Amino acid sequence: MAFRKKFTPRKKFCRFCADSELPLDYKRPDILRDFVTERGKIIARRITGTCAKHQRRLTTEIKRARQMALMFYTTVHSTDVKKKTNL
């Protein structure tokens, strides 16, 4: 019987705590898109590894970017997704 090594996941860390130069601002949707799913939902901090302080701020900034039309609310609003039309 072969001995199997258990899988140990990598320790998650907050990107914003690790790199203080990384801006957390609604004007940078390229950074904010990493924390939003394709369908437009904000990813939970237990998955991304973001600390509680930065997750609260991240949520606020994503909502601001959506309000300013820098990010989409859902995929229906995206120009990338084509609607099916009956021909």
Side-chain angles (χ1 to χ4, degrees):
M1 184 172 173
F3 178 73
R4 291 187 185 201
K5 194 181 224 185
K6 283 189 173 185
F7 173 74
T8 55
R10 257 186 355 167
K11 173 108 173 75
K12 294 176 185 165
F13 64 95
C14 178
R15 283 176 47 183
F16 303 105
C17 287
D19 185 11
S20 61
E21 298 295 318
L22 188 65
L24 182 51
D25 193 18
Y26 74 92
K27 297 173 191 168
R28 299 288 308 270
D30 53 324
I31 295 171
L32 299 178
R33 281 194 191 103
D34 295 339
F35 298 95
V36 178
T37 63
E38 291 177 5
R39 305 211 50 177
K41 296 172 92 177
I42 299 171
I43 302 173
R45 62 179 277 244
R46 64 183 169 81
I47 297 170
T48 60
T50 310
C51 69
K53 173 182 151 186
H54 285 111
Q55 182 68 24
R56 285 190 298 270
R57 187 131 175 260
L58 179 71
T59 303
T60 306
E61 297 300 324
I62 288 172
K63 290 177 181 178
R64 283 181 182 163
R66 287 174 174 167
Q67 194 73 19
M68 299 294 289
L70 299 174
M71 292 180 68
F72 297 111
Y73 282 96
T74 62
T75 54
V76 176
H77 298 107
S78 174
T79 56
D80 300 337
V81 178
K82 307 278 189 214
K83 290 185 178 179
K84 292 182 180 178
T85 57
N86 297 332
L87 297 175

